[in-house]
Amino acid sequence: MSHRQIMEALSGLLLGMFCAILSSTIVTNALPEIVSDLGGGQSAYTWVVTASLLTMTASTPLWGKLADLVSKKALVQIALCVFVLGSVVAGLSQNSGMLIGARAIQGLGAGGLAALAQIIMAAMISPRERGRYSGYLGATFAVATVGGPLLGGVITDTSWLGWRWCLYVGVPFAIIALVVLQKTLHLPVTRRAVKVDWAGAFFVTAAVSLLLVWVTFADDKYAWMSWQTGAMVGGSLLLTLVFLLVETRAAEPIIPLRLFRNRTITLASLASLFVGIAMFAGTVYFSQYFQLARDKSPTMSGVMTIPMIGGLFVSSTVSGVIITRTGRWKGWLLAGGVLLTAGLGLLSGLRYDTPYWHIGVFMALMGLGVGMMMQNLVLCTQNQVAPEDLGAASSVVTFFRSLGGAVGVSVLGSVMAGRISGYAKDTIGQLSPEDQAAAARAAGSGTIPDMDLLPPPIRTWLESAYGHGIADIFLYVAPVAALGFVVTLFIKEVPLRTTGALAQAAQAAAEGSAPGAPVPAGAVRAAERTAGGAPSATAAEGAADGSDTPDAHSAAGSRSATGADGASG
C-alpha cells in the first residue's frame, strides 16, 4: 500500500483512538465536581475511572481474537457504536452508579478501538516502517491526553455547558470516524467458519473483575487481611486456573497460550503490566493534586499537565522516526524505563507548595519515559508473530497494560485515601480548637471537599494532607516502573521485518498459493526460518481480515511459536 493509502486509512483509526483516549482524560478534571454532584465520595471517584479500565482490560483479548477471525473493519465500526452508546448514557447519568455503568460501556468500546488500531496498522505496515506510524499513534495519544483535561476543564467551568458535556463531546468525533473508516479502510476479507471462545472470554472477564472489585474495596469496606480478601483472591485464582484449562482445549483460544513460549512476548507483556500501573496511576491523580492540593480550577489543572504530555508527544514521535530509519528499538525501551522511574521518584517529593517548575520538569521526564516504552513494547511483540496470531499477540500486550492500570488505580486510590486521612489526623493539632472541630467535619464527610468553602487555616491544612498523600502514590509507583525497566533488559533486540501482513499474504500468493487456499506447511516452516527465526508469516493473510484457513490454522497450532530470539520456552 502507498503512503497516501495508509494515511487515509489511518486517519479514521486515529480519530477513533482519539475518541477512546479523550473519553478517559476529559473527565479527569471534572471528576471532583461530578462526584460532588452525584455523590459517592472517593470510592465513586476511583470507580468512575476503574469501570472503564475494567471493561477495556477484560474485553481487549476478545477484540484481538475476533480480529484474527472476522472483518477488522466491521469490528472497529462496532467498537465505535458501543462507545457512542456508552457516552450518551454517561451524559444522562442521574447518580454515580448509573455513571459507573455507562463508563463500563464506554470502556468496552474503547478497548476495541485501542486494540484494533494497533492490529490494523500492523496488518498494513511492516514492523520496520511501523515505527514512523507508531509515532502518529503516540502523537494522537498525547494530543488527546492533553486536549482532554483542557477541554474538560473549559466545559466544566462554562456555566451554560457543565460537566455532562464532557461525556457527550466524543460522540461527534466517533461518528466522523465511522464515516471516514467506511470510505478509506479497505482490507481483504476471506470468509470462514468462526469459533469464538466464549467460555474463555467469560472466565478471563470474571477473574479480572473479581480481582478489581477486591482491590477497590480493600481497606475501605474491609481490611486487606480479611476473609473477604481470602474469598475474592482465591476466587480470582480459581477462575484464572479454569480459564487456562479452557484455553488449552479451545479451538480458537482468546489468548493462545503457545504465544508465551516466545520470550519476547512474555517479557513485553510483563513490562506492559508495570508500565500500565505507572502510567495510569501516575496520571489519574494529577487532577486531584492540582485542584485539591493547589486550589486550581479544572481548566488550569489541565494546563498544568502539559509538560508531561509534551514529553510523551516528543518522545513517541521522535523515537518512531528514528526507529524507522535505523531499525533499532531496544535502546529506546531502556531509556524510557530510566526516565519513567526517575520522573516518578522525583514526583514522590511533591508537597502542596512545591514550586511548579520543579513539578513541570518531573512530569516531562515521566512523559518522555512513557512515550518511549508504550508503543515500542507492542512493536517488538508484533515483530515476532505470524499474521494469524497478530491480533491475539497485540491484544495480549494491551491487555496487560490495561490490567496494570486498572489494578494500579484501584489499589492506589484506596491507599491514597488512607494516607490523606492519616496525614490530616497527624497535623490536625496545628489548628485552633474551633478549627479542629470544623476540620474534622470537612475531612470526615466522605465526599470530595470544596476548598473554596473552607476557612483559610482549614484549607491550608487539608491541602497539605492531599499534597503529601498524593505524593506517596508516586513513591509507591516508582519501584514498579523500575521493575518494568529490569524486565526490558532481558528482551533481546531482533531486527525489524520489512514486510507487513498484507504484503506477506501477497508474497504467499506470488509463490503459487491461490487466494484463500491453504498455504503448504513447508511454506510456513520456510517463513518461520526467515529473519533469524522470526515467523515472517508468508503463511496466510490471517491478520488482514480473518483469512486463516483450517489447514493454515492446523499448521499454526502445531508449531512451537519459537521467537526470533530462539526462546521457545
Side-chain angles (χ1 to χ4, degrees):
M1 299 178 69
S2 67
H3 174 69
R4 178 180 176 182
Q5 290 173 315
I6 290 173
M7 287 306 302
E8 287 177 348
L10 279 182
S11 61
L13 291 173
L14 294 177
L15 194 55
M17 188 175 176
F18 179 81
C19 292
I21 300 166
L22 190 71
S23 70
S24 61
T25 62
I26 197 169
V27 300
T28 303
N29 289 326
L31 274 175
E33 186 165 333
I34 292 174
V35 174
S36 177
D37 286 352
L38 299 182
Q42 183 66 48
S43 177
Y45 189 107
T46 301
W47 263 106
V48 169
V49 177
T50 303
S52 60
L53 286 175
L54 166 61
T55 51
M56 181 187 299
T57 301
S59 66
T60 295
L62 181 60
W63 287 111
K65 188 58 188 179
L66 287 174
D68 289 333
L69 302 176
V70 298
S71 168
K72 294 175 180 60
K73 180 175 181 177
L75 284 175
V76 75
Q77 290 175 321
I78 291 171
L80 283 165
C81 291
V82 172
F83 173 81
V84 168
L85 174 63
S87 300
V88 172
V89 175
L92 296 172
S93 297
Q94 300 302 306
N95 53 62
S96 58
M98 183 177 177
L99 176 60
I100 290 168
R103 290 283 290 169
I105 298 174
Q106 271 190 321
L108 184 64
L113 295 173
L116 291 166
Q118 296 275 6
I119 294 166
I120 293 173
M121 187 175 72
M124 297 188 297
I125 309 164
S126 72
R128 178 64 182 267
E129 292 295 322
R130 205 173 301 150
R132 171 187 182 185
Y133 297 97
S134 293
Y136 297 149
L137 285 180
T140 301
F141 184 93
V143 171
T145 304
V146 70
L150 284 173
L151 184 58
V154 171
I155 291 174
T156 303
D157 288 339
T158 302
S159 58
W160 52 275
L161 288 175
W163 60 262
R164 293 184 185 277
W165 283 96
C166 294
L167 300 160
Y168 293 137
V169 75
V171 173
F173 290 106
I175 294 173
I176 294 172
L178 273 171
V179 175
V180 172
L181 285 170
Q182 181 62 34
K183 292 183 177 180
T184 62
L185 185 60
H186 304 292
L187 295 174
V189 179
T190 302
R191 303 295 179 188
R192 71 181 182 90
V194 175
K195 296 179 180 179
V196 179
D197 179 20
W198 295 113
F202 169 78
F203 284 112
V204 71
T205 302
V208 172
S209 299
L210 189 57
L211 179 67
L212 292 179
V213 169
W214 165 59
V215 297
T216 300
F217 292 124
D219 202 33
D220 180 18
K221 306 298 183 183
Y222 45 80
W224 285 105
M225 301 301 294
S226 62
W227 70 265
Q228 292 95 333
T229 290
M232 291 187 181
V233 173
S236 183
L237 290 175
L238 179 61
L239 289 167
T240 301
L241 291 175
V242 173
F243 166 72
L244 294 176
L245 179 62
V246 168
E247 294 303 270
T248 60
R249 300 182 177 183
E252 300 281 4
I254 291 290
I255 300 178
L257 300 183
R258 57 186 168 76
L259 291 176
F260 294 102
R261 298 173 187 169
N262 184 303
R263 187 176 68 184
T264 295
I265 295 176
T266 301
L267 293 176
S269 298
L270 186 59
S272 292
L273 178 73
F274 295 138
V275 170
I277 294 173
M279 179 179 69
F280 284 100
T283 56
V284 163
Y285 297 106
F286 271 130
S287 63
Q288 278 191 300
Y289 172 76
F290 286 120
Q291 291 185 53
L292 299 177
R294 300 185 76 97
D295 194 29
K296 302 298 181 183
S297 68
T299 301
M300 280 306 300
S301 180
V303 171
M304 296 178 87
T305 61
I306 287 179
M308 180 185 68
I309 307 308
L312 194 157
F313 180 91
V314 170
S315 64
S316 61
T317 52
V318 171
S319 66
V321 171
I322 296 178
I323 287 171
T324 295
R325 291 178 180 175
T326 64
R328 309 296 298 232
W329 49 266
K330 183 174 179 179
W332 294 100
L333 279 181
L334 297 179
V338 171
L339 292 173
L340 178 58
T341 304
L344 290 168
L346 292 168
L347 283 167
S348 67
L350 287 183
R351 297 296 182 266
Y352 78 102
D353 56 354
T354 299
Y356 175 70
W357 73 269
H358 290 181
I359 302 172
V361 172
F362 304 158
M363 286 193 297
L365 291 175
M366 179 182 171
L368 287 169
V370 171
M372 292 178 188
M373 296 190 76
M374 187 172 60
Q375 302 294 342
N376 291 326
L377 285 170
V378 177
L379 176 64
C380 70
T381 298
Q382 292 174 337
N383 187 50
Q384 298 195 40
V385 295
E388 63 267 24
D389 289 329
L390 185 62
S394 302
S395 65
V396 162
V397 178
T398 305
F399 167 79
F400 279 100
R401 185 174 69 218
S402 298
L403 178 63
V407 171
V409 169
S410 298
V411 172
L412 294 171
S414 176
V415 170
M416 184 188 71
R419 300 303 293 163
I420 292 171
S421 177
Y423 288 128
K425 290 178 181 177
D426 290 344
T427 58
I428 196 170
Q430 300 171 2
L431 302 175
S432 66
E434 295 79 8
D435 287 339
Q436 286 184 29
R441 289 192 297 272
S445 62
T447 62
I448 303 295
D450 187 339
M451 296 296 190
D452 292 334
L453 300 179
L454 300 176
I458 299 177
R459 186 171 71 181
T460 301
W461 162 77
L462 202 53
E463 285 176 350
S464 177
Y466 266 96
H468 203 165
I470 294 172
D472 282 355
I473 296 297
F474 301 108
L475 177 64
Y476 300 146
V477 170
V480 176
L483 285 175
F485 166 74
V486 171
V487 170
T488 59
L489 288 173
F490 296 95
I491 298 178
K492 184 177 180 180
E493 184 165 26
V494 176
L496 297 177
R497 295 200 306 264
T498 57
T499 54
L502 295 178
Q504 291 162 12
Q507 179 183 350
E511 290 173 354
S513 299
V519 178
V524 175
R525 290 191 293 271
E528 288 178 335
R529 290 193 295 269
T530 64
S536 70
T538 57
E541 197 283 303
D545 251 339
S547 59
D548 303 352
T549 63
D551 290 342
H553 249 286
S554 175
S558 65
R559 61 180 184 263
S560 64
T562 300
D565 57 6
S568 62

